[in-house]
Amino acid sequence: MQNDSGKTISIWMTTAEVPDQPVLTENTHADVCVIGAGIAGMSTAYMLTREGKSVVVLDDGPIGGGQTARTTAHISAVLSYRYYELEQMHGKEGAKLVAQSHTTAINTIEAIAIQENINCDFERINGYLFPPDLKSIDEIQHELEAAHRAGLINVEMVKKAPLTGFDTGACLRFPQQGQFDPLKYLAGLAEAIQRRRGRIYTGAHVEKIKGGLPARIETSSGKVVTADAVVVATNSPISNLATMHFKQAPYITFVIGAKVPRGSVTKALYWDTLDPYHYVRTQSIDEQHDLLIVGGEDHKTGQADDASSRYARLQTWTQERFPMAEKVLFRWSGQVMNSDDGIAYIGKNPFDEENVYIVTGDTGIGMTHGTIAGILLTDLILGRKNTWAELYEPSRVRIGGIGDFISENLNVAAQYLEWVKPGDVDSVEKVAPGTGAVVQRGLTKVAAYRDEDGKLHEHSAICTHLNCIVAWNSSEKTWNCPCHGSRFNTQGQVISGPAINGLTPVENN
């Protein structure tokens, strides 16, 4: 399938046939307009159509063409933060609601796949959380107790994960987790949404969102959607200039997919407790082989350009623990938005009209957070009470997350020093074909890309969100903003928010 989020290809892009959708050719109205056709937007649209609501979904790329196509698709109640940390940030009752909501999300995905007859390779499997070495069991014991307090009473400590050639030592087994093919799932949701008269339009770049009755969504083609409510499900919200972007941080995470003999790695989800952590699963690819999918080696978006080294470290980590791994067939990266307190922001957009809703900050566990968003936002739009609403409220401030809030925003502030630093190269003549670099030109900076044919493409290097200087990502061939994660393609077009507008073209002399 096509994707509009980078040059690398994930396994899912090769296995799923996601149907093309029409473009928006006329003004229209719906009860709810959902912006973003990833897991969060499509789950929300699906659940609203089941309630009889008329829904329009808009996306400037194909269904699932953003970060959903780049996930490793762990469907899990095991989050990036440990439960003892979540308990410190959200309290004991909050941690219980976290566990309950993610467990409900797993159950919901399974139920939808069955009810809608979606062939998306959904399976229930165990998950195993293990320490980085055989001696580090204190954290595992601490986490076991916290998981039990959160209501995950079936979690147990076992002597080792069921792997040959790799002794994890004592680890926690989380039963009844899940995995699937995310794009096959979205293709099934699309069919179900349209069967209930929901409308999905791709190639629809949203330029302006105005709440109120009715809300007004303007696209770059000049066509307008009006709606009683708007859901902004664009990974990083394009409806919010600053507030939410101070409360979360963008990270690039890396994935390799290595061929292994079928059945040689027990089918399960695996995570270690390093920071950044590694995450592992398998996917069947043919009668003789599985794909071992291993992720990790994260870095702040736009603050490193060393993907080859990170893929190499992932491969080394994998070969040391999974000696049966053969040729690496896939390498890809994705962007995650890490919230300050470990869980997503889902609900009304702060400082906006009452009928504008957002979902963001999935913190690396987007499949369940996106499904939670579908459940919670449907309840909010329909005026129903939901016990998770306060937990995921976007305007919340949790004392336990203050440390991350301060450190991440100090990091952002430091990125503005790029204004006074020299460019990557001192002349566009030094930009080789197929590469990009930031070049100082007078008092400003230019993002210069030379295509494979030698043609130079120049744009302002100033991000159109909050004026950070973008950086070149040589692996994905994108310009990435190191402040809040906006990303642009080689032609300057925005491919990921919070920026709405592309980089400004520079006229070549």
Side-chain angles (χ1 to χ4, degrees), residues 405-416:
F405 174 86
I406 293 172
S407 63
E408 292 291 7
N409 281 287
L410 286 173
N411 174 276
V412 168
Q415 303 314 307
Y416 285 96

Side-chain angles (χ1 to χ4, degrees), residues 185-324:
Y185 181 70
L186 289 195
L189 285 186
E191 183 182 335
I193 290 166
Q194 291 167 328
R195 196 165 60 245
R196 294 178 175 86
R197 302 195 177 186
R199 291 165 285 164
I200 304 169
Y201 299 102
T202 54
H205 180 74
V206 173
E207 287 194 335
K208 187 174 182 181
I209 302 165
K210 189 176 188 305
L213 290 175
R216 181 180 172 90
I217 301 92
E218 300 177 9
T219 67
S220 57
S221 69
K223 303 307 177 187
V224 175
V225 177
T226 55
D228 299 332
V230 185
V231 173
V232 182
T234 52
N235 192 35
S236 185
I238 59 173
S239 55
N240 189 296
L241 180 63
T243 306
M244 297 311 303
H245 310 296
F246 293 149
K247 300 171 70 172
Q248 60 183 12
Y251 280 79
I252 299 294
T253 187
F254 297 85
V255 185
I256 62 171
K259 189 166 65 172
V260 295
R262 186 156 195 181
S264 61
V265 177
T266 301
K267 192 172 288 185
L269 306 179
Y270 303 95
W271 314 272
D272 67 17
T273 59
L274 288 170
D275 185 17
Y277 70 103
H278 297 88
Y279 45 100
V280 182
R281 60 163 285 193
T282 64
Q283 175 73 13
S284 298
I285 53 176
D286 58 42
E287 292 183 358
Q288 285 79 39
H289 295 96
D290 295 329
L291 192 72
L292 180 66
I293 301 171
V294 182
E297 296 294 333
D298 305 12
H299 69 69
K300 284 292 292 289
T301 298
Q303 298 187 27
D305 187 27
D306 57 355
S308 58
S309 296
R310 293 176 190 267
Y311 288 130
R313 289 198 292 272
L314 274 182
Q315 191 166 347
T316 298
W317 186 92
T318 300
Q319 289 172 335
E320 289 174 352
R321 291 159 180 80
F322 299 91
M324 70 291 290

Side-chain angles (χ1 to χ4, degrees), residues 312-352:
R313 289 198 292 272
L314 274 182
Q315 191 166 347
T316 298
W317 186 92
T318 300
Q319 289 172 335
E320 289 174 352
R321 291 159 180 80
F322 299 91
M324 70 291 290
E326 301 173 11
K327 182 180 179 181
V328 173
L329 301 180
F330 295 91
R331 293 178 177 86
W332 77 85
S333 68
Q335 179 167 268
V336 298
M337 306 302 298
N338 286 349
S339 72
D340 289 337
D341 58 10
I343 60 172
Y345 300 104
I346 306 168
K348 292 180 180 178
N349 189 32
F351 306 110
D352 206 337

